[in-house]
Amino acid sequence: QVQLVESGGGSVQAGGSLRLSCVAYGYTVSSVWMGWFRQAPGKEREGVAAIYSGGGTTYYVDSVKGRFTISQDNAKNTLYLYMNSLKPEDTAMYYCAATFARPGVGAYLEPSRYRFWGQGTQVTVSS
């Protein structure tokens, strides 16, 4: 059974940093596409970053490029999202997700392409 468990959210001031973690159960993170997504109140869920470590490939939404880094620790079967220079607009519930099938060119950050989801961890950035 595939299960994803996120942790690491919290409240920080603008300019601060957080590290989100997502432990995967039931499969090996290095063999699938994984991503971080976020959803703010009243807004649609959006893709933040995606990774396929089998090919060393990462993708980011423009708004987080240069500030966020997605990575995996295959030994710990864990996905990470390092978030630096946080802004109030980064406030959202953050989810990790996984899919065995390649999302498709241009769709790596599309939530509908991911099958398995965690419960989410809240990130709040104050100004």
Side-chain angles (χ1 to χ4, degrees), residues 35-86:
W36 286 99
F37 299 79
R38 65 186 180 187
Q39 188 166 19
K43 294 187 177 181
E44 293 186 354
R45 189 169 299 188
E46 69 165 347
V48 175
I51 186 169
Y52 179 66
S53 65
T57 306
T58 57
Y59 298 88
Y60 297 91
V61 68
D62 287 345
S63 60
V64 307
K65 286 181 180 177
R67 300 189 298 124
F68 290 11
T69 302
I70 188 171
S71 67
Q72 289 177 335
D73 184 332
N74 294 335
K76 295 181 179 180
N77 222 36
T78 300
L79 178 73
Y80 299 102
L81 184 68
Y82 294 85
M83 306 187 293
N84 298 315
S85 302
L86 283 162

